[in-house]
Amino acid sequence: MGGLVTGINLLRQGQKVVIISAGQSALHFNSGSFGLYGHHDGKDVVDNPLELIATLHESHPYGKVGIDNIRRYIPQVRPLFADAGISLYGDERRNHYRLTPIGMFKPAWLSMEGYATVADSSSLPWGKTLLVNISGYLDFYPQFIARGLEKAGIETVSRTFTLDSLQHLRKSATEMRATNMARVLDGKVILDVSHHINRFVDETGATTVVMPAVVGLFDESPVKVLREQVKVPLYMVSTIPMSVGGMRAQMKLRTWFHSHGGTYLLGDTVTGGTISGGRLKEIHTANLSDMPLAADNYVIASGSFLSHGLEANPDRVFEPIFGLDVVADADRPDWCAPDLYKEQNFEHYGIVTDESLRASHHGVTIDNLFAVGAVIGGCNALKEESGAGITLMTSFKVSEQILNGKKGGKL
């Protein structure tokens, strides 16, 4: 998401942009919601994200972006996604709460069309809730959701249904996945789904329906049609994995980027680059080994350990592409806490950046190499519920830095 949002912002201003992507985006695992800042000190739930963000240390990625900039960037987020065909709702002044696949409510800033959210997790407005699943689908756990809702005082009932159009997927359990089903649950098939759900609503007297997010892989229209056809409010919960809503967002952003002149090199890997005189001169990729790529500016959006934006061996933590400077404890025992469930130091690690989010190499700031997203470090985005917000805010800042630095160049 960091690379795509940065690229889209630059394309809009006439820049020439190439994205090199080794694999699929972390959006493929997205919950359907984006967090701005949900927990303070890893535990206290945040009602007003901006209020707490303004107090964060300057070493935090939000501190480097700056609260005044964040206030300017936030109104630009939803229009950017809307232009790509992704509807988001939410308010940065007050978090809402999304229902997780295990029946908990977590704070969120923005959520996609149709996902199960409430304004206040302590007072649920749903009444008797019908949990609907598709027979044979194993990545949705109604019993967990039922337990969570019942603890909150909501009566729940569960039903399953099947469709002839899904029979070919049942030949193998590995085929009964959210994205495969979403390819089938489209067009007139949506009416069959709504027929089953309405039958269950009549049978149980439910006033709300919750189902897995297995509709709307390519656009939002099947979600909207299904919600219109069902007699009572219907909401969706993200699945484990892949995320239909996340994949839809990835495809929509990528389509916008490509259709407006961006070049997207999927399946290639940046293997290194030439740094000289405080600038990155060129980069090399696995597929274009004999053809270096040169640009005015570069952005690294490679993520943290999970996506190999950072790596570790028994002796050190390092950035594997350029050997950029990393903020990390030198002694391995300091990387982790003995208690697995406590906050771990390595979750804060990332590359060194200045206030403009430019990376550092052997103590020298690289003038034309900027960083966005989780590779920056300086916080525990998982515990803060801030990962998406940090990615978006740093993307907006970096694109602005590049545009202010040089008009008419190429990235």
Side-chain angles (χ1 to χ4, degrees), residues 39-72:
H39 290 277
H40 190 58
D41 291 334
K43 51 184 183 296
D44 297 330
V45 176
V46 173
D47 286 327
N48 187 329
L50 291 180
E51 187 176 78
L52 269 297
I53 287 172
T55 70
L56 296 175
H57 192 269
E58 61 183 11
S59 61
H60 192 287
Y62 280 145
K64 294 183 178 182
V65 175
I67 186 61
D68 291 337
N69 287 330
I70 290 172
R71 293 183 190 277
R72 286 194 301 110

Side-chain angles (χ1 to χ4, degrees), residues 102-103 131 141-152 154-158:
I102 60 171
L131 305 178
Y141 307 100
Q143 61 271 37
F144 288 153
I145 296 176
R147 185 181 304 171
L149 293 181
E150 287 166 1
K151 283 183 178 179
I154 296 292
E155 181 185 356
T156 66
V157 291
S158 298

